[in-house]
């Protein structure tokens, strides 16, 4: 079992970038895994995914890595639930993002959900050897070594989460605290305004609390300019929007360029004819 590169980067303080997979497409996952990202998030919260579709995307990312890509697959769960965590890990995910974590107790529940019971760690992950994560039972040491490679990322995206950020960040076993600007803005009464001063202040306060606790922070960024600003705050785990954004943005840009060119050409023809 090779070291989890997401966990290694978070603990070293290195900046890493990824994007969200929301289209449920293994082909899109494989293609984006060749585009220079460090990780890709298979989203089970706001995308038409379930474990059956997620495992195909994990296979696609693994195939890309075997052919020169470097991206590692991450899974974001639909909710902070140990059953959902167990199923995501059994299909091969080593890094999970738990949405809407509002307290230290909820953060601790996420940590426990990812770990097999071992050495008094209070883990609650159910043990099954014949799963993809353990090469379908062909990896004789997977169960014993799995806990060493798990990476727990918890999302703070509410007023309660911000209020309890210090305790959440101090929770043993949490590797990264991830900010969800859109939900946080809504929780603070500023739906759709992720750059409202109160939202910015809340996000920066979480980054500061994480730094005090020696934990990494992550954030969902709309574009590279936003990402650079977050990095200047000390954020090291940057989610650079999503597959659907890059697809639609690229299509709109080129369709717009073509339309503008055709209109200019038509104008020239009209002017010449007159």
């Amino acid at each position: 079992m090779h070291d989890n590169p997401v966990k290694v980067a978070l603990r070293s303080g290195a900046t890493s970038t990824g994007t969200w997979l929301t289209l449920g497409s293994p082909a899109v996952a494989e293609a984006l895994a060749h585009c220079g990202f460090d990780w890709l998030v298979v989203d089970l919260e706001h995308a038409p995914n379930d474990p059956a579709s997620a495992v195909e995307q994990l296979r696609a990312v693994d195939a890309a890595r075997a052919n020169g890509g470097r991206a590692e697959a991450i899974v974001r769960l639909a909710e902070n639930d140990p059953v959902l965590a167990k199923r995501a890990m059994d299909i091969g995910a080593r890094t999970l993002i738990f949405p809407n974590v509002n307290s230290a107790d909820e953060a601790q529940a996420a940590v426990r959900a990812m770990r097999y019971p071992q050495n008094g760690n209070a883990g609650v992950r159910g043990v099954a050897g014949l799963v993809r994560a353990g090469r379908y039972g062909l990896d004789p040491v997977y169960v014993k070594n799995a806990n060493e490679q798990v990476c727990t990322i918890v999302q703070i995206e509410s007023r309660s989460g911000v209020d309890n950020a210090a305790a959440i960040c101090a929770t043993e076993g949490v590797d990264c605290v991830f900010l969800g600007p859109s939900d946080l803005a809504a929780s603070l009464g500023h739906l759709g305004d992720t750059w409202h001063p109160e939202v910015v202040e809340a996000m920066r306060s979480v980054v500061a609390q994480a730094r005090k606790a020696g934990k990494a922070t992550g954030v969902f960024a709309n574009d590279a300019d936003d990402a650079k600003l977050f990095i200047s705050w000390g954020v090291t785990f940057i989610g650079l929007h999503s597959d659907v954004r890059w697809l639609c943005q690229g299509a709109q840009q080129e369709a717009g360029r073509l339309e503008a060119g055709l209109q200019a050409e038509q104008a020239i023809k009209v002017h010449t004819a007159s």
Side-chain angles (χ1 to χ4, degrees):
M1 180 187 295
H2 65 280
D3 287 342
N4 182 341
V6 177
K7 191 180 188 79
V8 171
L10 289 172
R11 293 201 166 182
S12 70
T15 299
S16 65
T17 60
T19 195
W20 251 242
L21 300 175
T22 65
L23 294 172
S25 168
V28 169
E30 186 176 20
L32 285 174
H34 286 291
C35 290
F37 293 110
D38 299 300
W39 41 268
L40 302 172
V41 177
V42 181
D43 191 9
L44 274 65
E45 184 184 16
H46 290 298
N49 282 314
D50 58 20
S53 63
V55 71
E56 297 305 323
Q57 291 165 78
L58 266 61
R59 288 190 178 109
V61 175
D62 286 348
R65 191 167 56 251
N67 287 283
R70 70 168 184 262
E72 173 86 1
I74 297 172
V75 171
R76 178 168 71 169
L77 303 179
E79 60 181 313
N80 187 353
D81 183 293
V83 173
L84 299 181
K86 171 177 61 180
R87 298 187 73 187
M89 297 188 73
D90 284 350
I91 64 173
R94 297 188 292 175
T95 302
L96 299 183
I97 299 177
F98 293 79
N100 201 31
V101 171
N102 296 306
S103 68
D105 286 344
E106 292 179 9
Q108 184 59 46
V111 171
R112 294 176 61 196
M114 292 193 72
R115 286 158 172 79
Y116 291 129
Q118 188 178 37
N119 300 325
N121 66 354
V124 297
R125 181 185 174 191
V127 181
L130 305 178
V131 295
R132 180 175 184 267
R135 286 190 286 145
Y136 305 99
L138 300 177
D139 183 344
V141 297
Y142 170 75
V143 170
K144 290 184 179 180
N145 295 338
N147 286 348
E148 299 174 9
Q149 299 302 326
V150 299
C151 182
T152 306
I153 301 174
V154 298
Q155 280 194 260
I156 289 181
E157 46 190 339
S158 71
R159 185 185 297 275
S160 295
V162 172
D163 290 343
N164 295 317
I168 292 170
C169 294
T171 301
E172 185 177 356
V174 167
D175 294 286
C176 178
V177 177
F178 193 88
L179 292 161
S182 294
D183 281 315
L184 180 55
S187 177
L188 295 174
H190 307 294
L191 178 64
D193 186 4
T194 58
W195 291 107
H196 187 280
E198 186 179 5
V199 180
V200 172
E201 180 182 0
M203 289 195 292
R204 299 201 69 164
S205 72
V206 173
V207 174
Q209 293 290 352
R211 185 182 295 113
K212 288 180 182 178
K215 301 291 175 65
T217 49
V219 71
F220 189 86
N222 284 319
D223 53 35
D225 289 334
D226 286 356
K228 291 175 184 177
L229 175 61
F230 291 132
I231 291 170
S232 75
W233 294 359
V235 178
T236 59
F237 187 78
I238 302 293
L240 198 57
H241 221 289
S242 62
D243 52 3
V244 69
R245 168 69 176 274
W246 308 131
L247 172 66
C248 292
Q249 181 173 289
Q252 279 187 318
Q253 285 177 347
E254 292 309 303
R257 287 180 61 200
L258 177 58
E259 182 178 3
L262 291 174
Q263 288 176 351
E265 184 177 314
Q266 182 63 29
I268 291 172
K269 288 180 180 180
V270 170
H271 177 73
T272 302
S274 62

